[in-house]
Amino acid sequence: MPANQQSQGSSSRNQVLVPQARAGLNNMKMEAAQSLGVQIPADGYYGNVTSRETGSLGGYITKNLVAMAEQQLSGGSQFTNR
């Protein structure tokens, strides 16, 4: 199995650039899924999740990551979910 594949059946090519951030990113994914009402598969296989749902998750997470970066770049330390 290639190094960039997860062993849980997912063929994601996404790599976490900062390994220490993995837990935070997973928490963010779970919070996004809960907010949007999307069920995260326990086995990591997203084949039964619609493209619309996964796109919504990705968009929600990206929006929040951009907001966090903007806060950090502006010198602010407080993050508010938009």
Side-chain angles (χ1 to χ4, degrees):
M1 176 178 297
N4 63 348
Q5 286 188 337
Q6 297 174 356
S7 62
Q8 295 179 340
S10 175
S11 62
S12 175
R13 294 182 186 180
N14 296 336
Q15 295 179 352
V16 176
L17 300 176
V18 180
Q20 297 83 352
R22 186 177 308 275
L25 291 170
N26 282 333
N27 286 340
M28 187 177 282
K29 179 171 59 173
M30 295 302 180
E31 289 173 12
Q34 186 176 16
S35 293
L36 298 172
V38 175
Q39 191 72 20
I40 298 289
D43 62 0
Y45 176 69
Y46 282 81
N48 297 321
V49 180
T50 67
S51 296
R52 183 181 192 121
E53 290 173 326
T54 57
S56 293
L57 279 175
Y60 186 93
I61 292 168
T62 300
K63 183 175 113 177
N64 287 319
L65 287 172
V66 168
M68 291 169 70
E70 287 174 346
Q71 280 287 350
Q72 189 174 27
L73 290 171
S74 70
S77 60
Q78 206 171 38
F79 171 71
T80 56
N81 193 0
R82 294 184 191 180

